[in-house]
Amino acid sequence: MTLPATERLYLQDDHCFDTDATVIAVRDAAMAFDRTCFYPGGGGQPPDRGLATFESGTAVDIGSVHADPDGVIWHACAVAPSPDTVGARVRLAVDRERRLALARYHTVLHVLNTIALQDYGAWITGVQIGVDYSRIDFKWDGFAAALTAAVEAKVNAVLDANRPLRSYTISEGAFRERQDLLRTLEVKPPVVNGTVRVVEIEGFDAQACGGTHVPMTSHVGRFSIFRVENKGRINKRLYVRLERPVLSVSPSGARDLFW
Ligand SMILES: [Zn+2]
């Protein structure tokens, strides 16, 4: 039986952390729903983790998520669900702290890869986003340790400018006319139903991306490069870290939505 592709709520709203959904299939120890806010991984960003809570109150840990070639997103459960859960209503909740950390690193990559390409002609060849630090590989001819401080300053200047992010989709045909939206030569752009999602940092950059981001560059934190490895003459591996910005507290004492 062919299952319908899962509706990906995180594509419409990067800050969708929970939703109601219906179980449409159970396979091995994984469930598929009609819709989800869980990011299934891709572009160097690992999949979300979180909880699925049934109306009975039973909660199931979702340890990992992946999308199959038909666009069905499978949520791997710590305990195999019974096949008769198909049709059940659940509340899905992403591990919010973890997702926000990954989104902060994901967002700074847009800033870094744009500066690398525009100012230094460097293309990204690989990314591994983490919660505590991230690793980014570039083909970066002429990169030297002495450049590190200048690159950090350029990235932090963009973050400090507090630019908003937004996303929209364009047709695959329109995308082919827009080489400026590419930041990598080696990964296929995320084409979903004949469209490509574009993520824009207002007044700075637009690039094809299917990941999750923070809403303003000021939410990223302070950027630094703490290690550089040479992986050949022009292949460089940069390890980067973010320090959280100071927690903002509203007059009511409530924490800012994202911190
Ligand atoms: Zn992105």
Side-chain angles (χ1 to χ4, degrees):
M1 185 185 76
T2 307
L3 295 169
T6 311
E7 185 184 358
R8 303 179 186 217
L9 300 175
Y10 65 86
L11 286 178
Q12 298 143 32
D13 177 5
D14 287 62
H15 316 110
C16 175
F17 298 104
D18 42 49
T19 183
D20 292 321
T22 302
V23 182
I24 62 162
V26 174
R27 196 173 288 170
D28 301 323
M31 289 189 284
F33 307 98
D34 56 339
R35 62 213 306 251
T36 189
C37 46
F38 280 69
Y39 181 64
Q45 183 178 338
D48 282 330
R49 298 177 193 151
L51 273 184
T53 306
F54 290 89
E55 283 176 329
S56 64
T58 303
V60 177
D61 274 316
I62 307 293
S64 188
V65 184
H66 77 276
D68 72 16
D70 297 323
V72 179
I73 298 181
W74 293 95
H75 302 65
C77 306
V79 178
S82 154
D84 63 16
T85 54
V86 172
R89 298 283 295 161
V90 296
R91 184 79 189 160
L92 297 177
V94 166
D95 179 337
R96 184 184 168 115
E97 283 291 313
R98 181 173 175 276
R99 156 76 85 76
L100 282 170
L102 296 171
R104 290 166 61 228
Y105 276 101
H106 189 124
T107 304
V108 84
L109 284 178
H110 284 233
V111 179
L112 174 62
N113 69 25
T114 296
I115 288 168
L117 185 60
Q118 290 181 354
D119 293 5
Y120 304 97
W123 290 89
I124 275 195
T125 56
V127 176
Q128 200 172 80
I129 296 173
V131 169
D132 299 315
Y133 68 91
S134 294
R135 202 186 81 185
I136 310 145
D137 295 342
F138 284 101
K139 279 193 188 307
W140 194 324
D141 202 3
F143 186 90
L147 267 187
T148 301
V151 172
E152 288 175 343
K154 288 180 182 185
V155 169
N156 283 318
V158 174
L159 301 180
D160 289 345
N162 202 16
R163 297 178 183 277
L165 281 87
R166 68 188 187 104
S167 66
Y168 50 90
T169 55
I170 60 173
S171 70
E172 194 176 352
F175 173 71
R176 294 195 189 290
E177 308 290 313
R178 294 282 309 273
Q179 287 297 307
D180 60 296
L181 296 175
L182 280 180
R183 289 295 178 279
T184 174
L185 299 172
E186 298 175 16
V187 178
K188 273 177 37 181
V191 179
V192 177
N193 299 328
T195 64
V196 174
R197 183 173 184 245
V198 176
V199 174
E200 188 174 305
I201 300 176
E202 193 178 285
F204 174 70
D205 156 63
Q207 56 188 272
C209 185
T212 67
H213 312 83
V214 293
M216 306 285 291
T217 59
S218 61
H219 290 203
V220 168
R222 186 133 293 258
F223 169 85
S224 62
I225 300 167
F226 67 93
R227 193 164 134 201
V228 178
E229 289 175 358
N230 291 317
K231 295 285 177 185
R233 193 178 67 79
I234 63 168
N235 293 304
K236 308 293 170 188
R237 174 164 290 176
L238 274 54
Y239 291 84
V240 307
R241 185 171 285 144
L242 294 171
E243 271 172 49
R244 283 187 175 203
V246 176
L247 197 79
S248 66
V249 178
S250 73
S252 67
R255 281 186 169 195
D256 177 273
L257 177 62
F258 296 98
W259 302 102

